[in-house]
Amino acid sequence: YPPVFAVFPPFFITFASMNYNRILLKLSGESLAGSQGQGIDPGRLASYASQIKEAVALGVQVGVVIGGGNIFRGVAGAAKGFDRVTGDQMGMLATVINSLALRSALEDAGQPARVLTAIGMFPIGEPYSNRRAIETLEEGAVAIMSCGTGSPYFTTDTGSALRAIEIQADAMLKGTRVDGVYTADPEKDPQAVKFDRISYDEVMARGLKVMDLTATALCRENSMPIRVFDMDTPGNLLKLLRGEPVGTEVY
């Protein structure tokens, strides 16, 4: 009989080349707004759903945390007169709106998804627990985890780091509109240099805005690799999952 890989070459090659079995994908609320600057861009939403569906088709289990900055940011609200707790709670609700939109887009694309909320919000979403999230992933559905940590004063980056650790993800992939980590903001400084790899300690020592310090420290303490990449370019997520050199690895 011929060897298995000769009979099923596409299956063998695809799965042998993947780096991750389970990921936590952090999406930016601001990026979801697209060129509109605020709200939800239907084209960008459809692109995200399509890329996530492709990832699941590869056999990767995908958990998602999405920010709410396209609708409301707690810190910005506090600067305008809201008390910080109220502002952060409003920001949590914004993440739920984005999560529901992403679930709808995924289901329209034929990919099952479930919204889990850190704050009791039935029937809008099921209460979050790491066990329920893992069950969802093992069923082949996308687990969309909203409301951040469920507590004020913590960003969705910290919520993403926490959820990645709780669901035992192989890595946290942070999808942004920038193609990696730079020495400075590449949108403001044309001399900024991109890192292919950088340690958690160097990120913190340089004060680089990869994530907030709490999220970075949490990933460092739990040895959770981070990959920062440009999610707004269709196909990048698939390339990353197949092991191609996309974005910046934080280790």
Side-chain angles (χ1 to χ4, degrees):
Y1 295 96
V4 173
F5 61 81
V7 180
F8 304 109
F11 178 91
F12 178 84
I13 292 171
T14 298
F15 279 79
S17 61
M18 283 174 13
N19 285 344
Y20 310 108
N21 293 314
R22 178 181 296 166
I23 62 169
L24 189 290
L25 177 63
K26 168 58 167 53
L27 297 176
S28 163
E30 288 91 340
S31 291
L32 190 59
S35 59
Q36 301 174 172
Q38 60 182 2
I40 299 173
D41 182 329
R44 180 62 52 76
L45 182 66
S47 174
Y48 283 176
S50 175
Q51 292 186 71
I52 293 170
K53 180 182 178 181
E54 289 175 341
V56 176
L58 281 180
V60 180
Q61 296 177 2
V62 182
V64 177
V65 171
I66 187 166
N70 55 320
I71 299 172
F72 190 88
R73 290 179 62 86
V75 173
K80 295 179 181 179
F82 294 98
D83 72 84
R84 180 62 188 271
V85 173
T86 298
D88 282 354
Q89 289 172 336
M90 294 171 70
M92 292 176 206
L93 295 178
T95 71
V96 177
I97 293 173
N98 285 339
S99 296
L100 292 173
L102 181 60
R103 182 187 67 185
S104 179
L106 285 166
E107 290 177 342
D108 284 346
Q111 171 58 53
R114 179 174 291 125
V115 172
L116 305 172
T117 63
I119 298 172
M121 215 169 289
F122 183 81
I124 292 174
E126 295 185 28
Y128 168 81
S129 74
N130 70 315
R131 289 180 180 275
R132 186 57 174 145
I134 291 172
E135 286 174 0
T136 298
L137 298 173
E138 292 178 342
E139 291 168 1
V142 175
I144 307 173
M145 295 162 277
S146 63
C147 299
T149 66
S151 298
Y153 294 97
F154 292 97
T155 67
T156 50
D157 279 344
T158 299
S160 300
L162 180 62
R163 298 298 180 241
I165 294 162
E166 288 180 329
I167 67 171
Q168 302 171 26
D170 297 313
M172 173 179 163
L173 310 184
K174 184 174 181 181
T176 69
R177 60 180 182 232
V178 181
D179 64 342
V181 179
Y182 285 76
T183 53
D185 187 344
E187 296 180 343
K188 298 178 181 178
D189 183 357
Q191 303 302 317
V193 178
K194 179 187 171 185
F195 295 97
D196 291 326
R197 299 181 79 238
I198 186 171
S199 69
Y200 306 112
D201 289 338
E202 189 172 357
V203 166
M204 298 172 77
R206 286 174 172 264
L208 301 177
K209 303 298 183 182
V210 177
M211 303 188 299
D212 64 83
L213 289 176
T214 304
T216 303
L218 193 57
C219 286
R220 182 183 63 176
E221 291 170 7
N222 292 274
S223 301
M224 176 59 62
I226 307 166
R227 174 73 69 165
V228 181
F229 73 107
D230 174 13
M231 181 71 180
D232 295 351
T233 299
N236 269 356
L237 178 59
L238 208 59
K239 290 178 181 178
L240 192 162
L241 294 175
R242 285 175 167 161
E244 296 183 34
V246 175
T248 299
E249 179 186 4
V250 183
Y251 63 95

